[in-house]
Amino acid sequence: MSKCDQCIIRQFNSLKALGKDDLIRISGCKTSRFVQKGETLFREGESINGIFCIKDGVCKLTKLSANGKDQIVKLVVRGDLIGQRSLVSDEKSNLTAVAINDMEVCFIPKSEILHDLAKNASFSLDMLQDMAKELRVADNIIVDMAQKSVKQRLADVLIYLHETFDKDNDGFLTVVLSREDYASLVGTATESAIRILSQFKKEGLISTTGKHVKIEDLEGLRRIE
Amino acid sequence: MSKCDQCIIRQFNSLKALGKDDLIRISGCKTSRFVQKGETLFREGESINGIFCIKDGVCKLTKLSANGKDQIVKLVVRGDLIGQRSLVSDEKSNLTAVAINDMEVCFIPKSEILHDLAKNASFSLDMLQDMAKELRVADNIIVDMAQKSVKQRLADVLIYLHETFDKDNDGFLTVVLSREDYASLVGTATESAIRILSQFKKEGLISTTGKHVKIEDLEGLRRIE
DNA sequence: TTATACCTATGACAAATGTCATAAAACTAC
DNA sequence: GTAGTTTTATGACATTTGTCATAGGTATAA
């Protein structure tokens, strides 16, 4: 089993604030797990009792809305932690996590993390900063949802994907989302997402092959209004 | 000048986690301030360099959207703290704060709070929990913005106001918002908000006199879809 | 490979929401 | 109180978005 203190992933999240001895202690009780594409990591309403550290892959955090549709609240990528909120507020998860890729995740039980939160001020400050950042992003999403058109939001998502994820040799995004996922990210009907993506394709802003998407004209997407 | 350790307001926020000696130290450097209705506490992009504790009154936190409209992200009430995010992430404010009522606020400079964050684990844990809660609320708002109709969102806002704020002798809400504020809270055009409020009035769900609103049929509002 | 299920695409239409114009009401300053 | 200004109200219409139906593609497993 790999050790946390030798894991480069932790450089990308709050775990970097921990010292070597803490990391070794955590190594001893963490579990590692492979999650297949489409598999559910945890569901809304479940107690997670720990945090997940994403070693590889991508997953979507969704929330069931009043009308029965799942809405994607956030994409979580390699290096991110999930479950901090439920951990510190000692509540059940408000979100469902589903793998979009094959993933590799580590799970650190609650007690270990709480131990560090209570003892290590720089660790809890780091986590506080992380949450502050998430909150700022959430504020931006709220405003965008309220004020931007579906077309703009979809363009934003494409720009975000382009800036966040790798491309293959032909320039296609390595994250492959269904049209339903795109719809769920921007909060619209699947048909609307399909229609707008078709339009973007016609306008030469993107190209698609099946579910694979390539951004052809980033500046054009930025100009969408 | 009143002392923090004798202030009941702190029971409602993270400051309750501080001990008497810390509170007395803070008392010594805090400032107290009256803010008139309509006055701006701080603007998006400014450095706040501390946190505000709302002793009395209500204010709106808004964010300028790409299309130039102000969107209300949150209402902040008596007992709430503002500025924690910018404080811990050491960034300029991402929101503008404008008083909706006459307010009384205390301002605690950054250095004092950081001192406590670094030293007092239960204080920083409390603040962490507070932010976790805000984040959960933000997730809910994102989903609502994406999935609910304007009418539903406006009904939600009315229910929220009814549950959060006091009523006068005739049952009217003591918070008085302009139609523009209502529109900005749900993310719609002012005319749309006016139209829907008129409709609610016709249906007997609310009654209005000028800007004053009274919820007449809470259950009816909950049934809106 | 083929059958099957699922996903994508598109048209037609309905419903929701935004925009512009204008009038009435409410608020403010004098 | 009155004049002037802002806010609220409402109609008419344009635009956006959602819904339903249906057809064609694509992936997957036996």
Side-chain angles (χ1 to χ4, degrees), chain B residues 69 149-151 188-189 191-192 195:
Chain B
K69 278 191 194 168
S149 68
V150 173
K151 198 190 288 183
T188 190
E191 295 95 321
S192 297
R195 239 179 270 273

Side-chain angles (χ1 to χ4, degrees), chain A:
Chain A
M1 164 109 60
S2 61
K3 296 280 177 57
C4 295
D5 61 316
Q6 287 155 20
C7 178
I8 47 163
I9 290 297
R10 75 165 200 285
Q11 295 306 329
F12 302 115
N13 61 47
S14 302
L15 297 177
K16 67 177 174 296
L18 293 179
K20 187 161 185 180
D21 39 345
D22 284 323
L23 288 169
I24 288 172
R25 178 175 46 77
I26 283 178
S27 280
C29 60
K30 80 163 205 290
T31 54
S32 185
R33 177 177 160 197
F34 290 92
V35 183
Q36 281 196 320
K37 175 184 171 179
E39 216 179 308
T40 300
L41 219 59
F42 55 82
R43 288 207 168 70
E44 201 175 332
E46 291 180 358
S47 299
I48 312 182
N49 285 320
I51 62 175
F52 291 93
C53 178
I54 312 294
K55 241 172 135 174
D56 202 15
V58 183
C59 91
K60 55 181 175 183
L61 299 182
T62 68
K63 185 159 171 44
L64 201 60
S65 71
N67 66 25
K69 276 191 195 168
D70 269 323
Q71 163 81 22
I72 298 181
V73 173
K74 201 186 168 200
L75 292 182
V76 175
V77 304
R78 183 182 147 94
D80 287 340
L81 296 179
I82 32 182
Q84 311 101 300
R85 247 170 311 169
S86 310
L87 185 106
V88 300
S89 59
D90 199 28
E91 285 171 342
K92 300 188 169 172
S93 175
N94 61 327
L95 301 173
T96 296
V98 176
I100 283 185
N101 276 335
D102 289 346
M103 301 176 73
E104 189 181 354
V105 302
C106 290
F107 178 80
I108 304 170
K110 187 172 181 167
S111 54
E112 295 305 314
I113 295 293
L114 284 180
H115 173 275
D116 288 303
L117 276 178
K119 283 194 148 185
N120 189 329
S122 84
F123 177 57
S124 55
L125 183 62
D126 201 288
M127 199 168 260
L128 206 47
Q129 288 175 342
D130 220 64
M131 254 186 227
K133 200 167 143 194
E134 275 196 62
L135 212 39
R136 189 163 42 78
V137 172
D139 284 345
N140 287 331
I141 295 177
I142 289 172
V143 175
D144 287 352
M145 283 286 180
Q147 306 274 359
K148 291 188 177 177
S149 68
V150 173
K151 198 190 288 183
Q152 276 179 298
R153 276 159 23 217
L154 192 44
D156 285 348
V157 163
L158 290 167
I159 293 166
Y160 161 75
L161 295 175
H162 182 77
E163 289 174 343
T164 310
F165 296 99
D166 293 335
K167 290 96 199 164
D168 66 17
N169 292 333
D170 299 324
F172 283 82
L173 287 166
T174 52
V175 245
V176 177
L177 301 175
S178 69
R179 301 294 194 261
E180 196 181 355
D181 284 333
Y182 279 102
S184 174
L185 268 167
V186 301
T188 190
T190 307
E191 295 94 323
S192 296
I194 289 173
R195 238 179 272 273
I196 294 170
L197 286 174
S198 296
Q199 191 192 338
F200 284 171
K201 197 173 169 179
K202 273 178 199 146
E203 293 170 351
L205 299 171
I206 62 172
S207 53
T208 66
T209 318
K211 298 193 174 186
H212 295 261
V213 173
K214 177 179 179 182
I215 278 56
E216 297 283 358
D217 181 0
L218 191 60
E219 288 314 310
L221 283 174
R222 289 194 211 277
R223 278 194 301 271
I224 290 289
E225 60 176 27

